[in-house]
Amino acid sequence: MEIKGRYKTKQLNELQEFLRGTGGAHFTAQDVLKYFQDKDLSIGKTTVYRRLEELVAEGSIKKYFIEEGSGACFEYIGGETHPMHYHLKCERCGKLFHLDCDEITCFEQHISEHHKFRIDPVRTVFYGICEACGKAEDGRDQQ
Amino acid sequence: MEIKGRYKTKQLNELQEFLRGTGGAHFTAQDVLKYFQDKDLSIGKTTVYRRLEELVAEGSIKKYFIEEGSGACFEYIGGETHPMHYHLKCERCGKLFHLDCDEITCFEQHISEHHKFRIDPVRTVFYGICEACGKAEDGRDQQ
DNA sequence: TTGCGTGCAAAGGTTTTGCATGGCA
DNA sequence: TGCCATGCAAAACCTTTGCACGCAA
C-alpha cells in the first residue's frame, strides 16, 4: 500500500520495510521502536504512533488489543485484495491464516437473522491455536 | 464463588455484590470505582485492581482487552451457567454483546475439523454492526 | 519557499508498587 | 495478638498532544 499524497520520508520508508518484514505477524509500537534502534535508525515514538494510526485508518494494518503490559497489537495486511475472507490468527506462533470457507456464509446469515448482527469480515479475526501448534501441545501435553 | 482462606472484608463483600449485579455484563475497573462512589461506599483503586486480579486468577471473572481508552474489560462468570460465549462488538456504537448461540458450536467444530484450527472464544471478538445501528443506517442511508 | 513530517517534552490515562495503617480471626 | 487487607501516594507504562524545527516537493 503506497501512501497517497504524502511526502516520502526516510522514516516512512523504513516503517514500510519493517511492515513487509513482519510477514503478517503481529507487533507492537514498541517492536517498531526497537527495530529502528537495532538498525541504528532514528525515529520518534510520536511518529511511530502517528504513522501506525494512519495505516490503520487506511486499512493497511490492523489494530488489536490482546495483552495488557504490551499495549496495542498491530498486524500488516497491506496488499491483500481479497475482500471477503476471514482471518485465523494463531495465538502461539502468531501466524495468520486465510479462511476460505463456505460454512461461514451460513454462519454469517444465522447471526444476521437470529441475532440481528451484521458481522464485518474485515475487522473480525478468529483467534485460536493452529494445527502445528496444536500438535506440539498435544505431543508434549504442556500447560 | 467464595474466597478461600481470606478475610471477609466490607470491600470484598460489596465487590461480590457488584459482580452479582452485573448479570454477566462486562465492566471496567472504573465502573467498579464509580459503583462504590455512587453508593457512598469507600474503596481504593488499589484494592479494586488487586481483587479483580485475584478473581481472574481464581476464574470467577474473565478479563478482556477490547477497547483502548477505557482499559481492560472484566466479566463475571462465577456460578453462572453461561458456558462459553463469544462477544459481538458494534463498530458504530461500541456496545458489546454476548452471543448465546448453539450454531457457533457447529461452526467451531467445522473449523476444527476442516481447517484444523481451534478457536479461542476468550480472545475472539466478532466486529460488525448491531441491530440499532444497522437500522439507523438503513433508514438514513448514511455514508 | 511552502507546508507537511518529525520528534522532544509534557500531559493524559490505566495499572502497579511501597509502605504504613486498619480490620478480621 | 498475628496477619492479611486496605488505601494513599508515587511510580511505571502506553499513548496522545503542543509546538518548534527540519525536510520533501
Side-chain angles (χ1 to χ4, degrees):
Chain A
M1 262 319 146
E2 285 305 313
I3 305 299
K4 295 160 285 186
R6 305 203 173 280
Y7 293 170
K8 282 179 187 170
T9 63
K10 273 184 300 182
Q11 289 88 345
L12 191 45
N13 274 334
E14 276 296 339
L15 181 55
Q16 292 185 321
E17 194 181 313
F18 168 83
L19 291 176
R20 274 181 240 112
T22 60
H26 67 280
F27 61 91
T28 66
Q30 301 304 315
D31 293 333
V32 178
L33 287 168
K34 208 191 302 181
Y35 169 86
F36 273 75
Q37 279 180 5
D38 290 350
K39 290 193 68 172
D40 269 323
L41 301 165
S42 89
I43 196 170
K45 57 183 168 186
T46 309
T47 303
V48 171
Y49 281 110
R50 275 200 280 239
R51 291 291 137 261
L52 252 30
E53 195 181 350
E54 271 182 23
L55 291 166
V56 168
E58 261 189 31
S60 298
I61 65 178
K62 287 197 176 302
K63 189 176 191 179
Y64 306 99
F65 304 96
I66 299 180
E67 321 187 44
E68 191 159 11
S70 43
C73 262
F74 299 89
E75 174 191 305
Y76 185 49
I77 55 164
E80 293 194 15
T81 42
H82 280 203
M84 273 313 190
H85 69 251
Y86 286 81
H87 288 119
L88 303 174
K89 187 162 183 67
C90 181
E91 298 175 315
R92 279 278 185 278
C93 62
K95 279 210 192 81
L96 192 69
F97 303 90
H98 289 182
L99 179 60
D100 293 315
C101 179
D102 294 330
E103 295 277 325
I104 198 162
T105 311
C106 303
F107 179 69
E108 266 180 2
Q109 282 181 0
H110 170 83
I111 297 295
S112 175
E113 287 170 15
H114 294 258
H115 303 275
K116 307 293 181 189
F117 193 88
R118 211 163 62 236
I119 297 174
D120 176 5
V122 174
R123 276 199 71 186
T124 300
V125 174
F126 295 92
Y127 287 91
I129 307 295
C130 75
E131 187 175 13
C133 293
K135 276 183 181 168
E137 232 175 53
D138 293 340
R140 296 188 220 123
D141 199 42
Q142 72 179 28
Q143 276 195 357
Chain B
M1 267 310 152
E2 285 305 312
I3 304 300
K4 295 160 284 187
R6 305 202 173 282
Y7 293 169
K8 282 179 187 171
T9 64
K10 272 185 301 181
Q11 289 87 345
L12 191 47
N13 273 334
E14 274 297 337
L15 180 55
Q16 292 184 320
E17 193 181 314
F18 167 82
L19 292 176
R20 274 182 240 112
T22 61
H26 69 283
F27 60 92
T28 66
Q30 300 305 314
D31 292 333
V32 178
L33 287 169
K34 208 191 300 181
Y35 170 86
F36 272 75
Q37 279 180 6
D38 289 350
K39 290 194 67 172
D40 270 323
L41 301 165
S42 89
I43 197 170
K45 57 183 170 187
T46 309
T47 303
V48 170
Y49 281 110
R50 276 199 279 238
R51 290 293 137 258
L52 252 31
E53 194 181 350
E54 270 182 24
L55 291 165
V56 168
E58 261 190 30
S60 299
I61 64 178
K62 283 203 175 305
K63 191 176 190 178
Y64 303 98
F65 303 97
I66 297 180
E67 321 190 41
E68 191 160 12
S70 44
C73 260
F74 299 89
E75 177 188 305
Y76 184 49
I77 55 165
E80 297 274 330
T81 42
H82 274 207
M84 266 306 188
H85 62 257
Y86 287 80
H87 287 117
L88 304 174
K89 183 164 177 67
C90 181
E91 297 175 311
R92 274 286 181 275
C93 62
K95 279 210 192 81
L96 194 67
F97 303 89
H98 287 181
L99 179 59
D100 294 313
C101 180
D102 293 329
E103 294 278 324
I104 198 161
T105 311
C106 303
F107 178 69
E108 266 180 2
Q109 282 181 1
H110 170 82
I111 296 294
S112 175
E113 287 170 16
H114 294 259
H115 302 275
K116 307 295 180 190
F117 193 87
R118 210 163 63 237
I119 298 176
D120 176 5
V122 174
R123 284 200 178 166
T124 300
V125 175
F126 294 92
Y127 288 91
I129 307 295
C130 75
E131 187 176 14
C133 293
K135 276 184 183 170
E137 234 175 50
D138 294 341
R140 297 188 220 122
D141 198 42
Q142 70 180 25
Q143 276 196 359

